[in-house]
Amino acid sequence: NAGVTQTPKFRILKIGQSMTLQCTQDMNHNYMYWYRQDPGMGLKLIYYSVGAGITDKGEVPNGYNVSRSTTEDFPLRLELAAPSQTSVYFCASSSPRDRASATNEKLFFGSGTQLSVL
Amino acid sequence: QKEVEQDPGPLSVPEGAIVSLNCTYSNSAFQYFMWYRQYSRKGPELLMYTYSSGNKEDGRFTAQVDKSSKYISLFIRDSQPSDSATYLCAMSAGGSYIPTFGRGTSLIVHP
């Protein structure tokens, strides 16, 4: 029962390097999300997707890119890493219970990727 | 003013205490209210979910929503050291599928 799987768990990058955070879910959820969590600051939405081929910006998209070619996978790309991107990154997925209103109350989260940019 | 306000704490209580965690919000369109629990170095997990105003109870946990005051609460009775975690409130509007999270409150229950 894998749920949402994120890799890697830890990573250290140098300024200017690029990397992709991987996220895959096996629950056939339509919706997927990327959040970053800084200490004491809660979860900030970076990007989200409502289905394969559809992505949209969240609250803090600058410096990141995403793609959604399949229902299962939602990778997050950092092109030019900056110290401000040091954070813990969480991927999540969900499936709206009430499709008429698209209300979606339960997000399933991965275990996170701790990223440091030095 | 942030859409969702939550005191980050930490809140330290002795084992067996009744804990009250709270959030206020400004968006009157919010109708769905959630509490997530996050243990250290783990992803958040949904703990309680409430639609509109009222109370919901699940074991030692009670969620309350007062839409007139734009205020939600989570009560934990007979708190245990295993309840030590960060509790994040989240809420969303009808028709919206993107929840807005509070900052989270760090709770420490000491034996």
Side-chain angles (χ1 to χ4, degrees):
Chain A
N1 191 11
V4 179
T5 302
Q6 290 184 239
T7 56
K9 292 191 184 302
F10 304 95
R11 184 72 184 267
I12 298 174
L13 285 182
K14 293 182 179 179
I15 295 172
Q17 285 186 320
S18 301
M19 78 162 294
T20 299
L21 280 66
Q22 301 292 344
C23 175
T24 186
Q25 52 94 6
D26 62 358
M27 297 173 283
N28 200 33
H29 285 168
N30 287 342
Y31 297 83
M32 296 189 75
Y33 314 77
W34 275 106
Y35 288 91
R36 60 176 288 171
Q37 186 176 40
D38 301 314
M41 297 305 292
L43 293 164
K44 293 189 184 297
L45 183 64
I46 304 171
Y47 272 94
Y48 65 97
S49 168
V50 302
I54 306 169
T55 62
D56 209 344
K57 296 178 181 179
E59 184 182 358
V60 290
N62 291 345
Y64 307 94
N65 277 300
V66 294
S67 60
R68 183 95 183 271
S69 57
T70 67
T71 299
E72 294 78 20
D73 300 306
F74 191 40
L76 178 71
R77 178 85 177 161
L78 282 71
E79 291 293 349
L80 293 170
S84 61
Q85 293 177 305
T86 294
S87 188
V88 180
Y89 291 83
F90 288 100
C91 178
S93 73
S94 67
S95 184
R97 184 165 68 181
D98 181 354
R99 293 190 180 277
S101 68
T103 299
N104 168 16
E105 70 275 6
K106 184 171 183 177
L107 272 64
F108 293 81
F109 284 85
S111 57
T113 295
Q114 188 168 332
L115 176 68
S116 296
V117 182
L118 305 175
Chain B
Q1 181 190 10
K2 287 179 181 276
E3 268 197 312
V4 179
E5 298 276 5
Q6 185 176 11
D7 187 333
L11 177 63
S12 182
V13 301
E15 183 176 355
I18 296 174
V19 175
S20 173
L21 304 167
N22 311 294
C23 289
T24 60
Y25 63 95
S26 58
N27 187 347
S28 58
F30 287 146
Q31 296 183 48
Y32 301 86
F33 303 93
M34 291 76 72
W35 286 95
Y36 284 80
R37 179 174 60 193
Q38 183 178 21
Y39 290 113
S40 181
R41 301 187 183 280
K42 300 289 186 183
E45 291 180 295
L46 183 67
L47 184 62
M48 297 285 285
Y49 158 72
T50 310
Y51 169 67
S52 193
S53 287
N55 294 0
K56 186 172 185 178
E57 188 173 320
D58 183 3
R60 296 185 295 112
F61 298 89
T62 299
Q64 283 187 352
V65 175
D66 182 350
K67 290 188 71 179
S68 62
S69 302
K70 297 190 177 67
Y71 189 87
I72 70 170
S73 300
L74 177 70
F75 297 96
I76 307 175
R77 292 183 298 279
D78 187 25
S79 56
Q80 303 294 311
S82 57
D83 294 327
S84 298
T86 296
Y87 291 80
L88 299 108
C89 63
M91 43 200 82
S92 63
S96 166
Y97 44 79
I98 308 297
T100 300
F101 283 86
R103 294 173 63 182
T105 298
S106 175
L107 172 66
I108 301 166
V109 181
H110 51 86

